[in-house]
Amino acid sequence: MTRKVTKAIFPVAGLGTRFLPATKSVPKEIMTLVDRPLIQYAIDEARAAGIKEFIFVTSRGKGALEDYFDTAPGLEAALRKKGKLDLLQELKNTNMESGAIAYIRQHQALGLGHAVWCARRLIADEPFAVILPDDVIAAEKPCLQQMTEAYAETGGCMVAAMEVPADRVSSYGILDVKEDRGSLVQAAGMVEKPERDQAPSNLAVIGRYILTPDVLRNLNRMKQGSGGEIQLTDAIAEEIANGRDVFGLRFRGQRFDCGSKAGFLQATVAFGLARDDLREEFADYLTELIALQNAAQ
Ligand code: UTP
């Protein structure tokens, strides 16, 4: 029997350079899709998958993130006084239970693998999840829940996987496929950001992982890899080299790369159109805009 996954690491210590100048003072994870910050989508997904302990790997300048999860007594009192009970409820949903959330500092942005390693003492000896909040996944059943359900059957390590176009493989960790069972794939290897002609497949790793504590032990010995960073991919690949199972799950859902400007804009449009209170007005606006653009061409 596999052990239940109850801890998740949220690495949020990156520099977010693709969103400068905004990220000079606003953490990327606080940027909003409609009215909810990226981090809230990640937390909700983790909760749905049964996560009870939330570990944030942060860095200098990410104070707004810590404040976001605090209670806001002044604001709550003001909303209560005005009778805005819906908003009050909305706000309360963002509060975290005392002791459920921990913050660890990554003192230098040495890469995703290093960020995960920084949380090692809070994980100790149990399987854990890693969620990258800038990968937002819209799905009927939340992606991490799909993964924990599959993991209960397989054990080992599991990564979320998705086919990407051949000209995009060099932006991702790519799986070398040993056995393709449809939604589940067993990996024979993993390589971070390969050149297009060196990629073992076009099956890319997306920012959701279920990992064994062995991966943390591998990270203890990791040297800098692709891009001079300590790569999580390399530490997972070492598990395969050591004869342990690593699976990719082709999740059901739509993934938005909110770490890139184009992906963030696409997500904004999709999430805006998915909202009952905005759909009609927003769709009318988009239709009008496209008509105007077509007329101008
Ligand atoms: P990215 O590759 O998107 O890097 O990191 P970034 O710094 O956030 O953004 P850009 O590329 O400069 O625009 C993927 C995830 O890994 C975390 C990031 O916070 C993000 O959630 N990360 C990355 C760390 O926590 N520490 C690191 O050293 C690197």
Side-chain angles (χ1 to χ4, degrees), residues 11-18 28-29 106 109-112 115 132-134:
V12 292
L15 300 173
T17 54
R18 283 171 288 172
K28 181 169 66 172
E29 302 73 24
Q106 185 190 27
L110 294 178
L112 176 60
L132 306 191
D134 42 11

Side-chain angles (χ1 to χ4, degrees), residues 33-35 41 265-283 286:
L33 291 179
V34 190
D35 51 11
Y41 292 94
L265 288 171
Q266 288 159 16
T268 299
V269 173
F271 280 71
L273 288 174
R275 282 272 294 256
D276 290 342
D277 57 335
L278 296 171
R279 184 180 303 114
E280 209 179 311
E281 186 183 347
F282 192 37
L286 291 176

Side-chain angles (χ1 to χ4, degrees), residues 217-224 230-231 234-235 238:
R217 287 189 268 277
N218 298 344
L219 283 168
N220 277 331
R221 298 185 300 274
M222 265 307 115
K223 304 257 168 1
Q224 287 161 325
I230 295 177
Q231 295 293 352
D234 295 345
E238 199 174 315

Side-chain angles (χ1 to χ4, degrees), residues 3 7 55 119-128 212-214 216-217:
R3 195 163 161 187
K7 293 182 180 177
I55 301 163
R120 66 198 176 283
R121 291 201 176 87
L122 293 177
I123 297 295
D125 210 24
E126 57 188 293
F128 59 98
T212 59
D214 294 311
L216 294 175
R217 287 189 268 277

Side-chain angles (χ1 to χ4, degrees), residues 244-296:
R244 303 206 181 93
D245 290 341
V246 173
F247 299 94
L249 183 75
R250 289 190 179 96
F251 57 92
R252 291 173 304 282
Q254 193 180 1
R255 173 258 186 173
F256 296 94
D257 175 10
C258 290
S260 79
K261 288 184 242 234
F264 193 91
L265 288 171
Q266 288 159 16
T268 299
V269 173
F271 280 71
L273 288 174
R275 282 272 294 256
D276 290 342
D277 57 335
L278 296 171
R279 184 180 303 114
E280 209 179 311
E281 186 183 347
F282 192 37
D284 285 350
Y285 167 72
L286 291 176
T287 311
E288 207 175 295
L289 190 68
I290 290 164
L292 276 174
Q293 287 206 331
N294 285 343

Side-chain angles (χ1 to χ4, degrees), residues 100-156:
I101 194 161
Y103 301 95
I104 291 276
R105 281 267 178 141
Q106 185 190 27
H107 295 108
Q108 252 185 304
L110 294 178
L112 176 60
H114 182 260
V116 168
W117 177 78
C118 287
R120 66 198 176 283
R121 291 201 176 87
L122 293 177
I123 297 295
D125 210 24
E126 57 188 293
F128 59 98
V130 177
I131 297 188
L132 306 191
D134 42 11
D135 270 335
V136 175
I137 300 172
E140 214 161 285
K141 180 183 283 184
C143 179
L144 190 65
Q145 190 183 347
Q146 296 177 36
M147 291 173 70
T148 50
E149 287 177 6
Y151 165 81
E153 305 290 321
T154 61

